[in-house]
Amino acid sequence: MRTTTAPETVAELIARQWGDHRPGLKHEEGVLTHHRTAQEAAARAALLVDLMPPGAEPHLGVLLDNTPEFPFWLGAAALAGAAVAGINPTRRGPELARDILHTDCRILITERAHLPLLRGLDLPGVRVLVTGTEEYEALLAPYAAAKPGEAALRAPGPDSRLLLYFTSGSTGAPKAAICSQGRLAAAGAALARQFTVTPDDVHYICMPLFHGNAVIADWLPALVGGAPVALRRRFSASAFLDDVRAYGATYFTYVGRAVQYLLATEPRPDDRAHSLRLGFGTEAGAVDAARFAERFGVRLVEGYGATEGGASVQRTPDTPPGALGRAGAGDDLAVIDPETGAECPPAVLAPDGRLLGGSAAIGELVNRGRSLFEGYWRNPDAEADRTRDGWYWTGDLFFRDEAGFLYFAGRTDDRLRVDSENLAAAVIENILARWTDAAAVAVYAVPDEVAGDQVMAAVAFREGAAFDPSAFAAFLSGQPDLGTKMAPRYVRVVDTMPTTATNKIHRVSLRREGFRCDDPVWHRSPAGAYTPLDAAALTALMAEYASHGRSDLLAR
C-alpha cells in the first residue's frame, strides 16, 4: 500500500516504486511495472557512480526522444544524487556543444537517431553512451541486481540538484535553471493533489522530456500519485487519440501550439470516445480551449509557472475566461512597468473580455514575495538580472483586472517562445548578422496567431544592397547553428534602425508595430519561401488572428 507521507525528494518517489508490480510505464514496445522502472533506474544509478570521473560535477546530459531511457535516467540521477541537463535536439552545431559543456556534463546519454547532431562537435572530457546498442547493454549488465539507495555519488536530499533545464532570457544564450529534488517533489505533490491523481490514472507524456513541462507537470505528479506514464517518442497530432485510447490515458500536458495542431486534425465521429479527462498546460488560449472542450469533451486547465520556480499563478473556480488565475500561495505578484518601477494600473476590459487601452496596463510580472528561484548554473549575471531590487522578475508580460486576476500578454523584448521552444533574440541576431548584405539586424517577438510567438526581424541594408528573398532563404539554410524554430517568420526592411537616446535599438517600437507597419514586410511560407505581406495576405492573416481571439495582442 502506498504511503501518504509527503515526499521530500524525488529519490524517495523512485524508491516507493520498488515492489509495486502494477503497470508503471507504457510505451510503443510494451508495458513495464513500477518495480521494473525503479530497477532500471537503480541499475543506471550504480553505473553512473562507477563512470563519473572523480571530482567531477555529478552532471549528465540526456539527448533523447521520449523513450523509456529518459525516465530511467531521471530516476537514476535522483537516486545517485546527480543532476540531468536536458539537451534540446533542435539546437545545432556550436550552440549544442555549448549547452553540453556549459552544464559540466561528463556523461552524455543519447541514441542512434541523434548521433548526426554530435558529428564534428568538440566535446572534451564528455563520454557518450548510445542507448539501444550492444555496448550500452554490456555496460549495464553487471548492475542488473542493483536496488534503490545502494549507490550514490552524493546522498540525495531536498537541496540536491536534479535538473539543469535550459530556459532563454535577456542575457542571450540559454540559461540552465537549477531545480532541486525538494522543490520538484513538492511541485509534483501539489499537482497530484490539485488534479486528484490516483493509480487508476494514466499520464500521457507527448511533450519532450527535455522541457520542464513534461517532467514537472506530467512525470512527477504521476510518480506522486502512483499513476503509470505513457510515452510518445515525439508529439504527433494525428496519433494523439489513438495513443490515448491504446494507453487508457486520462491526463496530458501541452505547451505552445500543440492544442491547435490537435484541433487541425480531421474531425472523427468518435472524437469523444476516449478515457481522457484533463489537459494541463500553457498558451492554448481561451478560444481554442473552448473548441477543444466542445470537440473532444476534455477540459483544459491553463497554468503559469516557469522552470525556475520564481512565481506561479493558480487557477480558482471563479477565474474568468482568458485569465490564468491569481498569485499562488506565498507569492506577492505585481505587474510592473520595467522602465519606471511603478505598478501598472488595472486593465479595463470590454464585456467580451477584450483589453481596452492595454499599453498602460501591460507590464512585467514580478514576485515581490518569497521566491523558489534556485539560480542558474554558472551564470551570476543572469541571476542578478532575474532578482534585481530584491524582487523576482519573470521576464513575462501580464496585465491584471480589477478583481486581481492575471492575464498573460507575451514575452519581454528579448524573449521569444515559438511552438513551445524558448528562444533568445540575441542568439538569432548573431546568426543573422553574418548576412553580408545586412548593416543592422534586430530580432523580436510578435504574437503567433494561435499561441506563443513568432520570430520577426528588422533589417537595415548596406548601401547598394536590397532584400533578395531567395538569397536570404539560402543564407538561412547554410547556417549550421540556426535551430529549427529560429528562422524569421517576418522580415521588415527598414531604411534606418530606430534607436533610443542611448543609441540602443528601440525594440519596444518595433515590437509594438509588428508586421502592420509602413515599411515593406516579407513573410515565410511553410516551405521556407519569403513573399511580400501585401494587403490581401495581411487581411487573411488578420482574419486568422481574429478567429483565435488574439487580435487584441496586435495593438499598434
Side-chain angles (χ1 to χ4, degrees), residues 44 46 135 137 155 164 173 219 233 245 294 333 398 465 468:
R44 284 156 182 78
E135 294 84 355
E137 297 303 325
L164 298 171
W219 181 66
R233 176 179 277 272
R245 296 190 182 100
E294 180 180 359
L333 301 186
F398 274 74
D468 182 333

Side-chain angles (χ1 to χ4, degrees), residues 87-104:
I87 306 302
N88 185 340
T90 69
R91 300 273 282 171
R92 294 292 186 272
E95 296 296 333
L96 179 62
R98 178 261 175 201
D99 292 350
I100 297 167
L101 297 176
H102 172 72
T103 45
D104 294 315

Side-chain angles (χ1 to χ4, degrees), residues 283-299:
E283 300 178 26
V287 172
D288 284 341
R291 290 173 178 169
F292 196 88
E294 180 180 359
R295 176 173 167 184
F296 298 108
V298 177
R299 181 170 65 103

Side-chain angles (χ1 to χ4, degrees), residues 173-231:
K175 305 179 294 292
I178 299 171
C179 305
S180 69
Q181 291 213 28
R183 177 160 73 87
L184 292 170
L191 286 173
R193 288 193 303 270
Q194 180 180 349
F195 298 130
T196 320
V197 181
T198 75
D200 295 327
D201 283 302
V202 177
H203 281 212
Y204 179 53
I205 301 179
C206 54
M207 296 293 100
L209 280 162
F210 62 78
H211 271 174
N213 166 275
V215 174
I216 298 172
D218 216 339
W219 181 66
L220 282 168
L223 276 180
V224 173
V229 297
L231 300 181

Side-chain angles (χ1 to χ4, degrees), residues 327-340:
D331 288 346
D332 176 16
L333 301 186
V335 178
I336 301 294
D337 183 329
E339 301 212 356
T340 66

Side-chain angles (χ1 to χ4, degrees), residues 286 302 313 315 319-326 401 405-408:
E302 289 275 290
V313 178
R315 191 175 187 86
T319 299
L324 294 181
R326 291 188 173 98
D401 66 16
F405 289 102
L406 291 161
Y407 297 72
F408 181 72

Side-chain angles (χ1 to χ4, degrees), residues 440-455:
V441 177
V443 169
Y444 45 98
V446 293
D448 181 86
E449 58 265 39
V450 175
D453 303 321
Q454 285 293 339
V455 180

